[in-house]
Amino acid sequence: MELRVLQYFLAVTREQSISGAAEALHLSQPTLSRQLKDLEDELGKQLFIRGSRRITLTEEGMILRKRAEEVLELIQKTEHEIAINNDMIAGNVYIGSGETDAVRYFAQTARALHDAYPDIHCQISSGDTTDILEDLDKGLIDFGLIFGSADTSKYEYITFPVRDTYGILMRKDSPLASKEQICPEDLWDKPLMCNRNTKDGDVLTTWLQRNLSEVNLVSTYNLLFNASLMVDEGIGYAFALDKIINVSGEGSLCFRPLNPPLHASMHLIWKKYQFLPKAAAKFLEKFQEIITK
């Protein structure tokens, strides 16, 4: 499978037509059609459903699109790192992070790093632990911020000097909003939302004293902002970390901490035995300086 053909394939998925992609690629339509047919023959799978107006992807085509985008992104990242002059300290640092107020440490690091090395740029993407570990393992990011423990057989890590506080995000007119703290039994009969990584036996369900099948779990989420909109629409109560959603002022939402208190530790992780480009190594150096101040 040639990279050039993957680029052709992605052009067709973008344009949703052979003719449009051929024009964008400056190829003849028969040439492009033959390349795509050869790709399908090589994989032994149909990748496209050719309609009268536009082309859509089969399930196998959608899988290939996702992987092709990842492959080309990784190649571009690698080419950029190699192209940088040996005497220069420049480049992009790629960081995946869960939603937390501790991202401020990244902001402080990025500011200090840019002051010292103006040609280093930090690229931060948001996601939950599942997203971050997947991107880290594929080499799409250099560092990840995760909650809870890190797999020390696979990753090096630095523990953040702060912890986040768990609580419940709810509407101000909810029955539980009058309480200063939320106890497990307060939630046993309420519609609940939690992060998609929550599972039986973890810190959250242990605190709740119930398995997920024993509560009214109405939804899961990977980004709290989306969950906050569902809370605002009255769908239920969301387990959340403090200081992510703004509940000050005259907004409709409020946050109540858990009782007994529950906290989340955070770690910056990167792959073991990984060669860090100069920009990433400088980021790590500055980050360690920032968190030890």
Side-chain angles (χ1 to χ4, degrees):
M1 189 184 307
E2 298 182 30
L3 292 176
R4 170 178 53 83
V5 178
L6 288 181
Q7 291 172 326
Y8 293 170
F9 168 79
L10 289 176
V12 174
T13 64
R14 182 181 64 248
E15 301 294 335
Q16 297 185 327
S17 75
I18 298 288
S19 60
E23 183 177 352
L25 294 167
H26 306 292
L27 293 173
S28 69
Q29 188 169 331
T31 297
L32 181 57
S33 295
R34 185 173 64 254
Q35 294 281 359
L36 297 175
K37 182 63 169 61
D38 290 345
L39 178 61
E40 288 181 319
D41 291 343
E42 180 182 353
L43 295 173
K45 296 289 184 180
Q46 181 181 352
L47 301 174
F48 301 102
I49 300 172
R50 294 161 173 82
S52 58
R53 292 184 176 271
R54 65 188 180 94
I55 283 180
T56 57
L57 294 175
T58 63
E59 183 177 349
E60 291 78 10
M62 288 187 283
I63 293 172
L64 180 61
R65 179 179 63 184
K66 183 175 187 296
R67 299 306 182 200
E69 289 171 345
E70 292 170 351
V71 167
L72 293 175
E73 182 180 348
L74 185 56
I75 288 173
Q76 291 170 359
K77 180 173 181 283
T78 303
E79 288 175 343
H80 178 73
E81 290 171 354
I82 292 174
I84 294 174
N85 186 292
N86 287 337
D87 296 329
M88 291 180 62
I89 300 180
N92 294 319
V93 182
Y94 297 90
I95 307 155
S97 176
E99 294 178 297
T100 168
D101 188 65
V103 169
R104 292 180 184 277
Y105 286 102
F106 291 156
Q108 294 167 16
T109 301
R111 184 179 62 188
L113 195 63
H114 187 71
D115 289 344
Y117 307 101
D119 293 320
I120 293 180
H121 306 282
C122 295
Q123 312 288 342
I124 299 181
S125 57
S126 297
D128 62 11
T129 299
T130 298
D131 300 322
I132 292 165
L133 294 180
E134 184 176 338
D135 286 348
L136 194 61
D137 289 341
K138 290 175 180 174
L140 299 177
I141 57 176
D142 301 304
F143 303 101
L145 184 160
I146 64 168
F147 298 97
S149 58
D151 183 351
T152 56
S153 67
K154 294 179 63 177
Y155 307 110
E156 302 284 359
Y157 71 94
I158 297 174
T159 302
F160 278 72
V162 295
R163 296 188 301 168
D164 273 357
T165 299
Y166 276 107
I168 299 296
L169 188 68
M170 68 184 82
R171 286 180 57 91
K172 290 180 178 177
D173 57 4
S174 298
L176 296 182
S178 60
K179 298 175 66 69
E180 293 186 1
Q181 297 177 320
I182 305 300
C183 301
E185 55 269 24
D186 295 329
L187 302 172
W188 290 345
D189 62 346
K190 300 294 189 295
L192 302 179
M193 289 177 272
C194 63
N195 185 277
R196 64 173 175 170
N197 291 311
T198 304
K199 58 183 181 297
D200 292 341
D202 66 9
V203 293
L204 208 55
T205 54
T206 298
W207 177 90
L208 190 57
Q209 302 172 25
R210 291 289 188 274
N211 290 329
L212 295 176
S213 61
E214 298 173 314
V215 297
N216 181 16
L217 185 64
V218 295
S219 179
T220 61
Y221 64 86
N222 69 328
L223 294 176
L224 184 59
F225 176 76
N226 294 334
S228 73
L229 299 180
M230 300 177 74
V231 172
D232 195 34
E233 291 297 326
I235 294 176
Y237 298 80
F239 281 98
L241 295 172
D242 197 7
K243 299 180 181 178
I244 298 176
I245 301 299
N246 185 358
V247 294
S248 61
E250 298 181 358
S252 61
L253 302 182
C254 63
F255 177 90
R256 297 291 183 265
L258 303 180
N259 182 27
L262 186 62
H263 302 284
S265 59
M266 292 166 283
H267 305 283
L268 181 74
I269 64 172
W270 63 99
K271 291 170 70 174
K272 270 192 170 183
Y273 316 116
Q274 174 185 354
F275 170 77
L276 289 176
K278 288 181 180 179
K282 288 298 181 182
F283 173 87
L284 187 60
E285 179 183 309
K286 285 292 182 184
F287 178 77
Q288 290 174 308
E289 291 177 10
I290 292 293
I291 65 171
T292 54
K293 283 183 179 179

